[in-house]
Amino acid sequence: MKTSMHKEIARGWNHEPGRSHSLRAQAYTEADWLKADFGNIISRSWQWVCHVEKLRQPGSYVTARIANHPVVVVRDPAGNLQAFYNVCKHRAHELITGEGRTKRFVCPYHAWTYDLTGQLRRAPHTESLSGFDLSTICLTPVAVEEFCNFVFVNLDTTANPLIEQTATLVDEIKSWAPDLEHLTLAHRLTYDIRSNWKNVVDNFLECYHCPVAHKDFCTLVDMDTYRVEIHGIWSSHMAEAGKGENSAYSVDDASVRDHAVWWLWPNTCLMRYPGRGNFIIMQIIPVDVDRTFETYDFFFETSEPIAAEREAIKYIDSVLQAEDIALVESVQRGMGTPAFDQGRIVHDPCGSGKSEHAVHHFHGLLLDAYSRVMAS
């Protein structure tokens, strides 16, 4: 990527949100920028994998793809979390699939065998090889961290720990969701969206569109109480539950009365909606310049959702998500025309939900990451 490209993409953006334009459309429509997204953002940031419940026992493992790279996370016999590229050192075959329990990693191609610390322990028919030493061969490690009862990985092993990068975020989440450790995965929704991943993030980070596009949501929460605060690599989006008739889903017996949402750089969204004890993780996964894969994981007090939770899932899936997907896909189509280059950031100095200062914050972090491409 050339320095001139970075200057061009930053044209119109200002450190003051009330004076700023958004990123230019080419950041959402051109393959060079997607390459930068994979290489300098997704590959160098903390990426959510799962709730720690899947990795509590020694030998438990989960596989994932991070920036299109296969990764495996495992709890070793000593109780430590380990993460590696899920790639055999012999001929690059993936070692294991899915999730579950194992005592070792045995490559299904030629049976090279690794222990759960990544050390090669067996390589059939290598006794006659000159200079071949099992003890010198290990799986390539990936940084791993347990953060607020969730497991995150980072392909950049030199990255600062997530807990250091986020300062008070853990305390804030636990103050709003003190039961998080005891919640369990109950449901997953998946979406294949015809839009750039950054459009999906932009849409999540502002509720300026909510009164127009999400009529039911605006009965679930009190928009007059909606406030957005930005921090180093995250932002918080808080609102009280709506005080009038609610057309989204029933919260008659709700123990959680507030809407608490956090966005964590670059593509993880953590949510707690009105209802019974709950937590939702939305992961926004880049696939192509105009394609994004999105997952919604629902964590409830029980693994089987109760009737009110099924109603909430149905609302999020068939109404809220349908509305948002239609919005971002339309935006992507518009960005591909000569009619649009960039637009103004709408800023409320009071930090209301109808302000786009969190979008502006995200764009600033993107520009910082792109500038590091220039320096490397």
Side-chain angles (χ1 to χ4, degrees):
M1 187 183 297
K2 299 177 181 178
T3 302
S4 59
M5 290 177 62
H6 181 265
K7 290 181 179 178
E8 188 67 14
I9 209 72
R11 180 169 55 82
W13 189 87
N14 190 291
H15 286 281
E16 296 183 32
R19 298 176 178 271
S20 185
H21 284 74
S22 62
L23 285 187
R24 299 188 62 220
Q26 65 195 65
Y28 300 77
T29 61
E30 295 183 3
D32 282 345
W33 294 104
L34 181 70
K35 183 178 179 180
D37 292 343
F38 277 125
N40 283 73
I41 296 176
I42 305 301
S43 294
R44 297 188 180 185
S45 59
W46 288 96
Q47 296 290 306
W48 178 79
V49 175
C50 65
H51 191 290
V52 73
E53 68 176 351
K54 289 189 176 183
L55 292 166
R56 285 199 172 112
Q57 300 302 317
S60 55
Y61 74 91
V62 172
T63 60
R65 295 193 72 83
I66 308 298
N68 285 332
H69 297 301
V71 167
V72 59
V73 186
V74 65
R75 183 77 67 177
D76 72 18
N80 301 311
L81 278 178
Q82 305 273 1
F84 309 98
Y85 282 91
N86 186 14
V87 176
C88 182
K89 288 295 188 177
H90 174 220
R91 294 271 296 281
H93 197 284
E94 292 184 8
L95 292 168
I96 199 164
T97 60
E99 58 188 60
R101 297 279 298 276
T102 188
K103 293 182 179 179
R104 62 190 67 84
F105 298 126
V106 182
C107 182
Y109 199 3
H110 300 98
W112 281 34
T113 301
Y114 305 81
D115 66 24
L116 300 187
T117 68
Q119 177 64 53
L120 181 63
R121 294 300 181 186
R122 180 174 178 268
H125 310 299
T126 58
E127 296 81 5
S128 62
L129 296 184
S130 176
F132 184 83
D133 183 355
L134 291 176
S135 67
T136 65
I137 300 175
C138 297
L139 298 178
T140 300
V142 169
V144 62
E145 184 173 342
E146 185 177 329
F147 178 85
C148 210
N149 300 111
F150 292 100
V151 176
F152 286 76
V153 299
N154 196 326
L155 301 185
D156 180 4
T157 56
T158 67
N160 290 335
L162 184 56
I163 191 71
E164 292 182 6
Q165 294 186 41
T166 54
T168 60
L169 178 56
V170 167
D171 291 338
E172 183 171 312
I173 290 175
K174 289 188 174 181
S175 71
W176 288 86
D179 55 353
L180 185 54
E181 181 180 358
H182 305 292
L183 300 180
T184 187
L185 180 64
H187 194 75
R188 166 172 275 202
L189 297 172
T190 61
Y191 304 95
D192 194 340
I193 304 171
R194 301 302 304 184
S195 184
N196 187 274
W197 73 279
K198 296 187 290 293
N199 267 328
V200 181
V201 175
D202 287 350
N203 182 72
F204 180 86
L205 289 175
E206 50 93 353
C207 220
Y208 182 37
H209 71 281
C210 292
V212 180
H214 299 315
K215 303 291 188 183
D216 297 307
F217 179 79
C218 290
T219 68
L220 180 65
V221 304
D222 181 357
M223 287 300 298
D224 290 336
T225 67
Y226 205 122
R227 293 293 179 271
V228 178
E229 295 184 1
I230 61 172
H231 305 271
I233 64 165
W234 56 282
S235 57
S236 62
H237 307 247
M238 306 297 186
E240 297 174 9
K243 297 178 174 62
E245 185 177 350
N246 168 25
S247 60
Y249 61 87
S250 174
V251 292
D252 292 342
D253 299 319
S255 55
V256 176
R257 303 300 304 178
D258 297 306
H259 169 81
V261 170
W262 300 268
W263 167 78
L264 177 61
W265 164 263
N267 59 330
T268 304
C269 307
L270 309 99
M271 298 170 273
R272 188 162 168 100
Y273 274 24
R276 195 169 63 144
N278 71 92
F279 210 77
I280 307 167
I281 300 283
M282 183 175 79
Q283 189 74 348
I284 299 167
I285 305 166
V287 177
D288 206 339
V289 70
D290 60 353
R291 187 179 177 202
T292 299
F293 187 65
E294 187 176 82
T295 59
Y296 254 84
D297 286 279
F298 295 81
F299 299 88
F300 295 137
E301 294 176 14
T302 55
S303 59
E304 183 64 32
I306 62 175
E309 290 163 345
R310 290 195 296 271
E311 182 184 352
I313 292 170
K314 182 178 179 181
Y315 160 71
I316 290 172
D317 184 28
S318 62
V319 179
L320 188 62
Q321 275 293 97
E323 291 167 343
D324 275 330
I325 290 171
L327 292 172
V328 299
E329 290 187 340
S330 177
V331 168
Q332 187 69 30
R333 291 192 296 270
M335 284 184 167
T337 71
F340 182 83
D341 182 37
Q342 61 186 161
R344 279 297 294 267
I345 294 292
V346 174
H347 179 231
D348 175 4
C350 295
S352 75
K354 297 175 184 177
S355 175
E356 295 178 323
H357 58 287
V359 178
H360 174 266
H361 172 235
F362 172 49
H363 292 180
L365 292 173
L366 286 168
L367 290 171
D368 286 344
Y370 293 153
S371 70
R372 288 193 291 272
V373 182
M374 306 298 104
S376 61

